[in-house]
Amino acid sequence: MASFTRVLVANRGEIALRIIRACHEEGLESVAVYSDADRLSPHVRAAHRAVPIGAPPAAESYLDVAKLLEAARATDCQAVHPGYGFLSERAPFAEAVALAGLTFIGPPATAIRAMGDKTEARRRMQAAGVPIVPGTTRPVADHVQAKSEAARLGLPVLLKAIAGGGGKGMRLIREEGELESAFETAQSEALKAFGAGELYVEKYLERPRHIEVQVLADTYGRVVALGERECSIQRRHQKLIEEAPSVAVTPALRRRLSEAATAAAGSVGYLGAGTIEFLLAPTGEFYFLEMNTRLQVEHPVTELVYGVDIVREQLRVAQGQPLRVHSGALQPRGHAIECRITAEDPFNDFLPATGVIRHLQPPSGPGVRWDAGVEAGNEVTLFYDPLLAKLIVWGDTRATALQRMRRALRELVIVGLPSSQSFHLRVMADPEFQRGDVDVTYFERVGQRLLAADLAPELAQPLAIAAALLAEQQRAEATPPPAAPAPDGPSPWLLAARRESIGG
Ligand code: ADP
């Protein structure tokens, strides 16, 4: 647990920039890494230094442990922040970082490993007295055993990959006859995605909410829970919109969830920031789903209602300092909502979109936070996750936050490729969502109806701005480029960036 002064940020996009900002506010130096596709990304410019780590495919850059460690060595970093995704939940990476004499900004590898195997995590939670979704706590050997477990639990059930993540290797079984072939496809999907094909069986809960609890733990034995996030607005088990707090959680339920979450984290010797995911049944019972042993995409909604900078706390804990969270911060204040702005076309089954962002006008004003990984001129490719930015708003009540999100979404202008913006506007205008009447099947049930709705007045503003910007750009492209700059003019790097943004 040594103090450090320079951090390698082993990630890209919005989360790399988020971590770099936290480093700077904490008085630390930052070193970014980037693949050839991310040369012009904002995180590269924001860091004190930036190291190229290879070709665009993640396997050749952001997932290449040797290159990351070499980048840390070459720039004299003493610590590595993995962000989320990529190597963040790979225990061998945490171990390799430690072996190289660097501090891994995250939990001990033993905690990552214990929670990374979902059946082991379920066994541990059971032992710690945390309720788990009914189902097996060991992998099932084959579809025959899965069938008998399904009969014991009662249909419907879910087949789940023990190494699962991102909804991969998960299959819903409503009829016994579906089991055999579903077992095979789930197994091969899991093998392909995680290199581990083992599956287990879990009771499928009807219309639960996804409620998760943020925890922070330090080396002084303190484990605190920063309340819950409501993450029920999902598509194919992927979160789209998150809120804090949840309208379904009373102070008494929050206390019980927090107790379960801190018990869960404490039972694996957790350190730093982590998230315990639960399913909350309509009956009010909650069940442990999994623990994410890393920073979460949706962490900002918690930051806004608890007044805590989670990334800065991670940096402190990793240096052996005590958490700065005081007990007064353990009550939520107001309401926060996050919309994930992705390069996906909601009108084409959320097909990932590629292209150059020709114009980008982020929303601003009171209570608005824009955590973006891209800016105008950047090219969006299929190499990485389609998340462009997170739009987060805070309001003193949920109704204020909702109005503010609608206002902010109307201010947002993205020209060059489709995004999820108009889907979010439709959700904000939906009476069911406004009532907080949501569960994990929300998108399945109302997605198509929302997308068919006429939203012209809501979208008039961004569309008009986009059209005007496009016309202006076409005019600019028709005029000859300016003469070469004088030797003491702007840096060639800046000019290159500018050319890129106009050329695309
Ligand atoms: P992954 O790790 O692949 O993301 P999770 O176990 O975290 O998988 O579950 C992701 C989502 O799948 C949940 O938020 C929920 O919407 C749905 N889900 C998972 N388990 C169940 C269950 N037992 N019953 C109903 N829905 C579930």
Side-chain angles (χ1 to χ4, degrees):
M1 229 14 94
S3 70
F4 46 78
T5 55
R6 192 175 293 163
V7 178
L8 186 92
V9 181
N11 215 298
R12 65 177 298 282
E14 69 88 18
I15 202 59
L17 185 54
R18 167 76 188 90
I19 296 162
I20 288 164
R21 285 172 167 159
C23 287
H24 296 181
E25 289 180 21
E26 207 50 41
L28 301 170
E29 289 178 29
S30 61
V31 176
V33 293
Y34 62 98
S35 74
D36 296 345
D38 287 337
R39 199 170 43 94
L40 300 175
S41 294
H43 81 275
V44 175
R45 209 171 45 239
H48 289 109
R49 292 185 61 182
V51 182
I53 49 164
E60 293 169 47
S61 48
Y62 299 105
L63 288 173
D64 188 325
V65 176
K67 281 183 185 160
L68 293 167
L69 293 181
E70 173 52 25
R73 195 203 54 77
T75 53
D76 290 324
C77 287
Q78 305 102 16
V80 176
H81 196 308
Y84 56 64
F86 295 129
L87 296 165
S88 61
E89 289 183 288
R90 303 227 183 138
F93 180 61
E95 284 161 347
V97 167
L99 253 166
L102 308 168
T103 300
F104 179 75
I105 303 174
T110 47
I112 301 178
R113 204 164 263 129
M115 290 299 190
D117 175 334
K118 291 193 178 190
T119 46
E120 182 180 345
R122 284 164 60 76
R123 291 196 297 277
R124 284 181 179 255
M125 291 308 104
Q126 221 169 22
V130 177
I132 59 172
V133 183
T136 66
T137 51
R138 302 262 170 202
V140 286
D142 50 29
H143 74 268
V144 180
Q145 195 191 348
K147 210 171 264 182
S148 77
E149 290 294 344
R152 183 177 65 83
L153 292 163
L155 290 169
V157 296
L158 276 177
L159 287 178
K160 282 184 155 184
I162 66 157
K168 291 202 187 82
M170 201 192 294
R171 286 291 180 285
L172 171 59
I173 314 292
R174 287 203 177 269
E175 321 243 337
E176 200 192 80
E178 298 165 4
L179 215 150
E180 188 171 345
S181 73
F183 193 93
E184 264 170 40
T185 52
Q187 194 169 43
S188 68
E189 192 175 296
L191 197 62
K192 217 173 111 200
F194 316 113
E198 288 101 324
L199 305 177
Y200 68 104
V201 186
E202 210 174 83
K203 176 80 186 154
Y204 178 74
L205 305 178
E206 299 287 354
R207 300 184 64 164
R209 288 172 184 261
H210 177 118
I211 301 284
E212 58 185 36
V213 177
Q214 176 72 55
V215 294
L216 286 172
D218 65 17
T219 49
Y220 300 86
R222 202 156 163 238
V223 186
V224 300
L226 291 179
E228 79 286 358
R229 292 185 284 259
E230 163 78 68
C231 308
S232 296
I233 311 294
Q234 311 177 344
R235 181 182 167 274
R236 300 201 178 147
H237 310 304
Q238 296 290 311
K239 298 162 190 162
L240 297 168
I241 297 172
E242 301 95 345
E243 299 183 46
S246 164
V247 298
V249 175
T250 60
L253 178 55
R254 181 169 304 125
R255 256 195 312 278
R256 287 171 51 220
L257 282 164
S258 297
E259 278 166 20
T262 49
S267 76
V268 290
Y270 204 77
L271 274 185
T275 297
I276 321 287
E277 299 189 332
F278 296 100
L279 291 179
L280 176 64
T283 51
E285 276 120 21
F286 63 83
Y287 306 94
F288 169 84
L289 192 58
E290 66 166 341
M291 178 169 191
N292 288 318
T293 53
R294 54 166 167 83
L295 188 62
Q296 203 93 337
V297 176
E298 58 273 23
H299 75 275
V301 289
T302 301
E303 295 189 321
L304 295 185
V305 293
Y306 284 90
V308 173
D309 187 315
I310 293 170
V311 185
R312 288 184 66 179
E313 292 306 313
Q314 285 189 301
L315 295 169
R316 283 175 62 85
V317 168
Q319 296 187 81
Q321 293 164 6
L323 285 172
R324 227 168 343 199
V325 180
H326 52 90
S327 48
L330 302 178
Q331 290 302 320
R333 192 181 141 259
H335 198 93
I337 306 176
E338 170 179 286
C339 288
R340 297 189 184 194
I341 308 296
T342 57
E344 291 175 311
D345 185 357
F347 299 103
N348 193 2
D349 202 23
F350 282 78
L351 193 73
T354 58
V356 174
I357 302 173
R358 290 175 161 259
H359 288 285
L360 179 60
Q361 186 179 297
S364 57
V368 173
R369 171 168 163 183
W370 175 254
D371 278 21
V374 294
E375 60 192 11
N378 288 164
E379 184 174 0
V380 178
T381 66
L382 288 179
F383 289 112
Y384 314 112
D385 184 277
L387 185 69
L388 297 174
K390 304 182 311 206
L391 174 55
I392 313 117
V393 300
W394 180 89
D396 54 354
T397 64
R398 184 168 186 267
T400 317
L402 228 141
Q403 275 306 102
R404 189 163 272 165
M405 182 57 90
R406 291 176 83 168
R407 184 272 288 172
L409 282 165
R410 285 195 296 263
E411 277 182 23
L412 170 63
V413 178
I414 303 174
V415 181
L417 73 177
S419 83
S420 57
Q421 175 187 12
S422 85
F423 170 75
H424 290 301
L425 263 173
R426 286 157 202 267
V427 175
M428 296 302 135
D430 175 40
E432 260 181 67
F433 180 79
Q434 290 176 354
R435 285 196 303 274
D437 194 2
V438 298
D439 62 70
V440 299
T441 67
Y442 174 85
F443 182 86
E444 238 172 89
R445 290 185 291 108
V446 309
Q448 287 318 308
R449 168 169 68 73
L450 293 185
L451 288 167
D454 184 9
L455 245 200
E458 289 264 15
L459 274 175
Q461 187 181 347
L463 287 178
I465 297 170
L469 286 170
L470 213 56
E472 188 183 298
Q473 179 174 343
Q474 277 155 1
R475 266 198 308 279
E477 277 170 5
T479 53
D488 59 349
S491 79
W493 195 95
L494 254 183
L495 285 172
R498 247 178 245 160
R499 262 198 307 278
E500 201 92 359
S501 75
I502 300 166

